[in-house]
Each structure stands twice: as C-alpha cells, then as structure tokens.
Amino acid sequence: MANLRRGSTLTHFWRSFLTGLGLIAGICGLGTGLFPDLAEEFGTPVLTASLAVALGYGAWAAWPRLSFDRAFELPATRVSVVVGDLFSQDGHLVVGMSDTFDTELPVLIHPGSVQGQLLTREFAGDTARLDAEIAAALASRPIVGRERREDKPLGKLDRYPIGTIVVLGSEHRRYYGVAYSRMRNDYVCESSVSHLWNALMDLWSAVRNTAHLGTVSISAVGLGLARLSGRITQADIVRLIIITYLTSSRESVVASHLQIVLAPDTAAQVDLRRLGDFLRAQ
C-alpha cells in the first residue's frame, strides 16, 4: 500500500512537472518569436529558471495534503476532510454503535475504537452514565428483537433497527450514536454498504433536527467491520459519507459544516489527493 501511494505521488509529480514545463516552454516560445535578440542573450538563464520553476510546481502539486475543504452555495454548507483527532474537534460528534448499543469495555467494545474513546474521554469512563443517557434516548424506540441471556452471556439483550440514532450529551456538545452494525452473539459486529447508507441518511435527519446548524465531525465509520473488511476501503466510506450528506442537505440543510476526520494512522492508507478531487467534483 505504501509503495502504491509513493508511486501515485511520483506519478503526480512528473505529470505536474511536465505540465508546468510545457506551459513555460509555450511562453518562452512566444517570447523568442517576439524578442529574438533577448532570447539569444538570456537563453541559458531562462532555461535554468524554467526547469527550476517546473520542478517547484511539480513538488508543490504532488506534496501530500492533510486537509481538503469545499464550501457549497446550494446547499449552504461546508465539507472538510481533515487528518487529526476526532475528539479534539469543536462541535458535535458522530459515534458508530451496534444495534444492541452495548458499551462495556474491553470485551464488547474495543477501548481504542471511537465508541471506546467516547466512554473514556467524554464520559470519564462512567459506563453507568453513558448507559443511562442511551436508555433515555431509546425509551420511545421500537425493539425489533430480544436475545436470550444463554445465547448472549454479556451485554445488552434488546435489539433496535439499523439506523436507530441516540442523541446524547448537551446542546453545546451532542454525541450522535448511530446503529450501523449488528452485534452477533459472539460479540463480532457486522454490517453492509446498504446498512451504512441507510444509517447515514437517518443520521443526517437527526443532525438536522438537533444540531442547530452547528459543526458536526465524523470518522470513517464501519472500517474493519465483519462483511465489510476487504470489500470497501476507507476512501469509499468517506465518499459514502459525503454523498449521503450532500443528498440529505439538498432536501434541507443539515449542518453548517461537516468535518470528516481521519486518524493519522489510518489516513496513511488513503490517497487524500483523490478524495480532494472527489470533493471538488461534487
């Protein structure tokens, strides 16, 4: 993967270098025709300067980016793709959860996952408080199944529809828990592209109704889940987030700013330049 990224960067560098060199050559050719005496006198310095400028342009164009941003007029919103820490962002956060809304660390929820960090960093490790907020948010939601304790020895037994959203936190800092996966009784979560799509569309409706046009940050949800691993890349998930957000925003504005936050270790697996091109093409 790293070799592919280096190859892509080198390809972009040479393409940009040749493009810049061709443009400079065209300008110099025009100058030679108009001022032949000057061209003969300063030919070597101009050639050297032209190569230096083309090399500089190629390096600038190929240099890896850590963020991309686009403001839209219709709908009136902004979308950014950034590399950083999700929990260091201002505004509201989106956290992926399962259909059972289990919270127990470390057997059911990995401590390093976004949901695990929600508990440790935003709820100070207070599982009871997090569970109480989730239970209150689910009080009016339909239960679509209930596991037997002998089949699922740990965690919660009630199952909710994929796409169920729990709105946690306060008006100033919402946490949107979105059920986009099913937790099997062996505690492995699985999902599908259609589940992700539907859950994200339900998410944007909840954000529209409760975020008051604030900034909302989300990570690349679903990465590494059973049935998705090897079938969809992190870049694909980012594109899916962008498409669903803009689709929902064109019905009615969802938020003033959506930030898609990629952790540094996983961002290294993504060609951010192509994501930037995708965002600009929307």
Side-chain angles (χ1 to χ4, degrees):
M1 183 67 72
N3 290 334
L4 288 175
R5 291 194 300 276
R6 284 194 292 269
S8 175
T9 299
L10 287 173
T11 299
H12 195 75
F13 166 77
W14 286 114
R15 185 183 295 120
S16 301
F17 167 72
L18 293 174
T19 299
L21 192 62
L23 179 61
I24 294 171
I27 295 173
C28 290
L30 179 62
T32 299
L34 294 175
F35 308 102
D37 294 337
L38 290 176
E40 185 175 348
E41 182 178 354
F42 297 103
T44 300
V46 168
L47 177 60
T48 302
S50 298
L51 288 172
V53 170
L55 284 169
Y57 173 73
W60 173 83
W63 193 261
R65 304 294 199 269
L66 294 180
S67 66
F68 293 93
D69 186 276
R70 182 180 173 190
F72 294 83
E73 292 185 5
L74 290 174
T77 190
R78 188 167 137 233
V79 178
S80 303
V81 179
V82 302
V83 177
D85 177 12
L86 177 68
F87 291 92
S88 295
Q89 310 305 314
D90 294 330
H92 313 301
L93 305 181
V94 175
V95 178
M97 295 184 172
S98 71
D99 63 335
T100 55
F101 290 93
D102 277 304
T103 58
E104 185 178 337
L105 302 180
V107 177
L108 302 183
I109 305 299
H110 191 284
S113 67
V114 173
Q115 187 181 340
Q117 293 183 70
L118 171 71
L119 174 60
T120 57
R121 297 176 63 177
E122 302 290 318
F123 283 78
D126 190 342
T127 306
R129 181 163 71 92
L130 177 57
D131 280 339
E133 288 201 23
I134 291 175
L138 290 173
S140 61
R141 304 300 177 87
I143 298 172
V144 295
R146 181 167 286 136
E147 295 295 331
R148 300 182 305 169
R149 180 55 71 193
E150 53 265 37
D151 295 329
K152 187 172 183 280
L154 298 176
K156 301 172 184 177
L157 301 178
D158 292 339
R159 294 191 179 278
Y160 295 85
I162 296 295
T164 298
I165 312 297
V166 291
V167 183
L168 314 174
S170 67
E171 181 179 352
H172 303 291
R173 179 81 156 176
R174 302 277 191 203
Y175 308 103
Y176 294 93
V178 51
Y180 64 90
S181 63
R182 181 182 187 276
M183 178 173 283
R184 302 186 326 212
N185 288 345
D186 60 359
Y187 316 126
V188 173
C189 288
E190 60 184 9
S191 189
S192 66
V193 175
S194 61
H195 281 166
L196 279 178
W197 175 280
N198 293 332
L200 286 168
M201 292 300 289
D202 290 336
L203 167 67
W204 304 135
S205 294
V207 170
R208 180 188 294 116
N209 293 332
T210 58
H212 306 299
L213 297 180
T215 296
V216 177
S217 298
I218 184 174
S219 63
V221 295
L223 194 66
L225 286 179
R227 292 193 178 179
L228 281 180
S229 180
R231 302 188 180 206
I232 187 169
T233 66
Q234 184 168 234
D236 292 330
I237 293 173
V238 172
R239 294 185 186 98
L240 188 65
I241 292 170
I242 293 172
I243 291 171
T244 57
Y245 177 77
L246 292 177
T247 298
S248 186
S249 295
R250 281 165 182 145
E251 296 178 4
S252 179
V253 176
V254 172
S256 61
H257 184 197
L258 172 68
Q259 286 192 126
I260 303 170
V261 184
L262 306 179
D265 56 341
T266 54
Q269 306 169 22
V270 178
D271 188 337
L272 292 176
R273 190 179 300 105
R274 289 189 178 182
L275 283 181
D277 292 341
F278 176 81
L279 179 57
R280 286 187 288 271
Q282 299 309 302

